[in-house]
Amino acid sequence: MINEIAPLTDAQAPPASQELFGMIQQKFGIVPNLFRVLGHHPAVLSGFLQLYEAIQHDLPARWREMAYLRASS
């Protein structure tokens, strides 16, 4: 049985996640559902955002795209 974790609205999110949602909103114009689900645990969301930023800056674009394709398959 698969349990689904619902994305959080801004009002439902813990204060630390609300702050991170605001930063994400400024950067992307929206808060994608992936981040809203991770928002259940602000420490996990924060860690994921740090990893995401590192990948954006430390990997060449071609490697980044290969990683996205591999992870999605």
Side-chain angles (χ1 to χ4, degrees):
M1 174 181 225
I2 297 175
N3 293 323
E4 291 186 26
I5 301 173
L8 296 173
T9 65
D10 291 341
Q12 294 171 320
S17 291
Q18 288 177 2
E19 184 178 328
L20 294 168
F21 286 175
M23 293 168 40
I24 294 165
Q25 176 77 33
Q26 286 180 337
K27 183 169 185 157
F28 296 108
I30 63 166
V31 180
N33 281 341
L34 169 64
F35 298 130
R36 290 191 176 279
V37 170
L38 293 175
H40 284 277
H41 297 281
V44 173
L45 176 57
S46 177
F48 181 82
L49 290 171
Q50 290 174 25
L51 175 64
Y52 180 82
E53 285 298 317
I55 289 171
Q56 294 302 311
H57 297 292
D58 295 343
L59 283 180
R62 181 177 176 169
W63 289 12
R64 203 170 40 244
E65 287 300 317
M66 288 172 50
Y68 292 151
L69 289 171
R70 180 69 176 147
S72 68
S73 63

